[in-house]
Amino acid sequence: MARPFASSADLGEKKQSLEVLAEGVYALTAEGDPNIGAIEGEDFLVCFEALATPVAAREWLARLREHTDKPIRYLVLSHYHAVRVLGASAFGADVIVTHDKTRELIAERGKEDWASEYARMPRLFKEPASIPGLTWPTATFSDRFTIDLGGDRGDLVLAYCGRGHTEGDLVAWLPKERVMFAGDLVESQAALYTGDAFHRDWSSGTLGEVASFGARTLVGGRGAVARGEREVAAAIAQTRDFLAVMLRETGAASTLREAFERTHEALEPRYGSWPIFEHCLPFNVSRLWDELHGVERPRVWTAERDREVWDQLQS
Ligand SMILES: [Zn+2]
């Protein structure tokens, strides 16, 4: 029997958990659905990620408002993917911050990505008609962007660590609390999506840069919060291993179909039961195949191309 396309048949609500990671530092995890966060400044809030629609974002904000009523000055978006950015209008933030490349990617492929992600995982798009349009950053940076949180709260540092999950991922780092929000550059007990990735950079220099911060608490893009240096190291190691297995198996194959089968077989024992594993793998292998055959930048995913690749590999 054919597998249902991507996560189109995944309609079960996930349980959301709001965790206080340090004083004024919040994360909302949801059993493998995209994680989000917030950091209190002295008299303002920084929100991290925006979910897929304003309606979904407002549910998160209602929970956050049980802890703080400070106004939202900054909304930080780790990368351009629709399920993380299209809820932005709900925040009413003064400033929306991304990496320079994220702005370029939104301009280049934001519309296509929206249609692609909606079809792949419709459950995340609560009341899709509430999305007013693409989300545009109002401040961007290339290397570092520092927000002084005021009082004795220290800085929030937004940093670019190299090409990885996309061409323009950022991490948010709280040096005082040693807490990192890593976006989709690190997953903790959730499968990786690498359909827009640069596997070789990500698995080497970029993850090395992420690790060099020495986080004691790490919120990845999906999955549980990693607490303590051992769990942080394990989350980074898991991400690196997933990429290394993909590179090894796809690199040894002589056709795309063989690449998919080999990679699936090698990853499945360890990662097969993790959220979105089957959903992601055809898109992941397709992109890695391109990368290993000289296609420098990821090709744009459209709803049509998604179906073609799915039918070709995951059937
Ligand atoms: Zn992503």
Side-chain angles (χ1 to χ4, degrees):
M1 212 183 79
R3 238 179 234 289
F5 172 68
S7 293
S8 58
D10 167 10
L11 301 173
E13 253 337 276
K14 295 286 190 275
K15 185 178 177 296
Q16 298 186 329
S17 309
L18 195 157
E19 299 179 44
V20 182
L21 306 178
E23 201 202 319
V25 183
Y26 308 95
L28 190 80
T29 62
E31 301 181 319
D33 275 358
N35 294 335
I36 44 187
I39 299 115
E40 280 186 44
E42 197 60 16
D43 53 8
F44 63 91
L45 269 174
V46 181
C47 285
F48 186 80
E49 315 283 47
L51 296 175
T53 69
V55 167
R58 277 196 281 272
E59 287 176 11
W60 147 240
L61 288 171
R63 294 195 65 173
L64 183 61
R65 287 308 183 206
E66 294 168 11
H67 295 264
T68 168
D69 58 4
K70 292 174 185 173
I72 300 168
R73 188 175 296 166
Y74 296 95
L75 173 62
V76 175
L77 303 171
S78 69
H79 62 287
Y80 75 97
H81 283 150
V83 297
R84 303 200 175 259
V85 305
L86 292 179
S89 64
F91 292 77
D94 298 331
V95 186
I96 299 178
V97 191
T98 72
H99 187 264
D100 291 334
K101 281 284 174 203
T102 291
R103 172 154 52 197
E104 290 173 26
L105 287 160
I106 290 168
E108 179 192 43
R109 59 184 73 194
K111 270 209 154 88
E112 289 80 359
D113 178 68
W114 178 352
S116 156
E117 293 199 51
Y118 180 46
R120 287 180 186 185
M121 205 160 199
R123 178 172 56 76
L124 296 179
F125 287 76
K126 274 198 178 142
E127 298 190 32
S130 65
I131 303 168
L134 292 174
T135 296
W136 295 102
T138 57
T140 66
F141 68 95
S142 62
D143 183 45
R144 290 283 187 279
F145 186 101
T146 300
I147 296 170
D148 178 352
L149 294 170
D152 60 359
R153 290 168 186 269
D155 288 335
L156 173 69
V157 180
L158 309 181
Y160 178 66
C161 296
R163 300 189 302 186
H165 172 71
T166 71
E167 212 169 343
D169 306 273
L170 63 79
V171 299
W173 168 239
L174 285 160
K176 207 171 153 199
E177 292 84 0
R178 307 196 77 75
V179 174
M180 175 175 280
F181 290 86
D184 276 329
L185 282 176
V186 180
E187 307 296 359
S188 181
Q189 297 161 42
L192 270 61
Y193 174 66
T194 73
D196 298 305
F198 295 79
H199 297 73
R200 289 167 297 188
D201 289 8
W202 186 3
S203 62
S204 55
T206 303
L207 277 180
E209 188 73 20
V210 170
S212 74
F213 284 84
R216 289 202 196 112
T217 307
L218 185 144
V219 184
R222 293 169 177 265
V225 175
R227 291 174 182 271
E229 282 168 27
R230 265 183 50 187
E231 284 187 19
V232 171
I236 294 170
Q238 176 224 304
T239 305
R240 194 182 270 123
D241 179 67
F242 195 106
L243 293 166
V245 172
M246 285 190 66
L247 281 159
R248 185 185 73 220
E249 298 300 328
T250 294
S254 48
T255 65
L256 175 61
R257 177 89 210 177
E258 187 199 340
F260 178 78
E261 279 162 8
R262 287 184 69 121
T263 306
H264 188 283
E265 193 182 321
L267 288 173
E268 211 270 337
R270 186 165 175 203
Y271 304 107
S273 62
W274 288 5
I276 66 171
F277 175 77
E278 297 293 350
H279 161 153
C280 292
L281 210 60
F283 310 123
N284 290 0
V285 173
S286 173
R287 164 55 192 155
L288 179 54
W289 181 261
D290 279 357
E291 183 183 326
L292 295 177
H293 291 84
V295 180
E296 180 63 16
R297 298 187 64 238
R299 285 191 277 156
V300 176
W301 290 104
T302 61
E304 296 71 34
R305 191 177 153 231
D306 284 4
R307 290 278 177 178
E308 270 167 38
V309 168
W310 186 267
D311 292 343
Q312 190 184 357
L313 297 179
Q314 193 62 291
S315 53

